Amino acid sequence: MISTPSPVTSQPLAPSDCSSAGQTPLSGQTLKNWLTFLAAGFLVSVPVFIEAPLVRFCPEISVVMTAGWLWLAFYLMKRPKTHLWGDLLFGFSWSWLAGASYWGWFRWEPLIHLPVESIGVPVALWCLWRRWGQVGNFFYIGSLLGTAITDAYFYITGLIPHWRQLMQVDPSLATPIFQSALEQVQTPWGMSWAVVLANCLLGIGLWAIQKSDYHWWALGGALLSTILVDSLFWFAACLA
């Protein structure tokens, strides 16, 4: 006697099955990746537009504020819901300390800009080796790389003398220096290198945000926002 197979009853897909089978909505991790990206971009602009003017008047306060940033970072990292933001703030603390040190006392000498900005590199590398604080340390490394590429542009295009002059004159007398620097930037040599270095930042930044981990998005946010900040400076020079 040949037995016939029993009929197979099809079960309706649960809502979670339907979403996994089709197009899924914006996931929680994707949203947090974008928030990390935007927060990193904002924190890159803070030392440039807020800290740099502040340290001209009282660099000591800016240095002391680093302790406050670190305290807040560790406080947020103790809580699971805010750990990510505390981690990011930890890396930002090194950028803040370096910015306060350089723009407060050494801004007249561009040759030591990058060494001073690298003040947190030993701690960042040690933390990354221990796989601790990856989001913040990747942010710091990304912002430092953006600084290095921007500084490289100043060296390649011969803008270092203009940097020194701007740091020594009264802001009301800076317009002729801005105009002279802009003429140098708008040469074929200056424009070509601007495109090359901007594409370097763009390429690394876009590559980083193809990853799924938060620390890569922090790196990408720091690099891509460097392009925005540099563009704003160029625009300000055009209006001067």
Side-chain angles (χ1 to χ4, degrees), residues 19-56:
S19 61
S20 61
Q23 189 72 21
T24 58
L26 188 66
S27 67
Q29 169 144 6
T30 302
L31 177 60
K32 228 168 186 179
N33 280 339
W34 280 109
L35 290 176
T36 303
F37 176 88
L38 294 174
F42 172 74
L43 290 177
V44 164
S45 66
V46 168
V48 176
F49 297 109
I50 298 176
E51 185 184 25
L54 174 64
V55 297
R56 284 177 174 264

Side-chain angles (χ1 to χ4, degrees), residues 159-234:
L159 292 174
I160 294 298
H162 296 83
W163 182 331
R164 289 195 178 99
Q165 293 173 23
L166 283 172
M167 295 299 109
Q168 293 172 355
V169 303
D170 187 87
S172 60
L173 304 175
T175 299
I177 303 174
F178 271 120
Q179 292 174 344
S180 176
L182 189 61
E183 291 175 1
Q184 211 155 324
V185 169
Q186 291 177 336
T187 62
W189 178 260
M191 296 299 290
S192 299
W193 275 106
V195 172
V196 169
L197 296 178
N199 279 326
C200 288
L201 288 170
L202 186 64
I204 300 173
L206 291 178
W207 171 81
I209 63 174
Q210 301 303 312
K211 311 289 185 180
S212 60
D213 297 314
Y214 298 137
H215 56 267
W216 288 113
W217 283 73
L219 175 72
L223 289 172
L224 294 177
S225 61
T226 300
I227 302 175
L228 176 61
V229 171
D230 290 347
S231 300
L232 290 175
F233 272 110
W234 176 81

Side-chain angles (χ1 to χ4, degrees), residues 11-177:
Q11 298 293 333
L13 289 174
S16 59
D17 298 330
C18 293
S19 61
S20 61
Q23 189 72 21
T24 58
L26 188 66
S27 67
Q29 169 144 6
T30 302
L31 177 60
K32 228 168 186 179
N33 280 339
W34 280 109
L35 290 176
T36 303
F37 176 88
L38 294 174
F42 172 74
L43 290 177
V44 164
S45 66
V46 168
V48 176
F49 297 109
I50 298 176
E51 185 184 25
L54 174 64
V55 297
R56 284 177 174 264
F57 302 102
C58 195
E60 295 84 2
I61 290 181
S62 296
V63 172
V64 172
M65 285 178 65
T66 305
W69 292 125
L70 286 172
W71 176 86
L72 182 59
F74 285 117
Y75 175 79
L76 294 174
M77 290 174 74
K78 290 179 181 178
R79 306 170 184 272
K81 290 185 177 180
T82 57
H83 183 275
L84 173 64
W85 312 119
D87 192 344
L88 185 60
L89 199 58
F90 175 78
F92 167 75
S93 301
W94 297 116
S95 296
W96 180 274
L97 176 61
S101 302
Y102 178 77
W103 295 108
W105 291 282
F106 306 106
R107 61 180 178 271
W108 298 275
E109 184 45 69
L111 294 177
I112 63 172
H113 180 222
L114 195 58
V116 174
E117 290 287 346
S118 304
I119 193 173
V121 167
V123 176
L125 293 179
W126 182 80
C127 290
L128 290 175
W129 177 65
R130 298 290 301 270
R131 294 185 176 275
W132 185 88
Q134 288 185 303
V135 175
N137 288 300
F138 266 72
F139 163 80
Y140 172 68
I141 296 297
S143 61
L144 184 61
L145 179 58
T147 299
I149 291 178
T150 302
D151 283 12
Y153 181 78
F154 274 77
Y155 284 105
I156 292 171
T157 56
L159 292 174
I160 294 298
H162 296 83
W163 182 331
R164 289 195 178 99
Q165 293 173 23
L166 283 172
M167 295 299 109
Q168 293 172 355
V169 303
D170 187 87
S172 60
L173 304 175
T175 299
I177 303 174

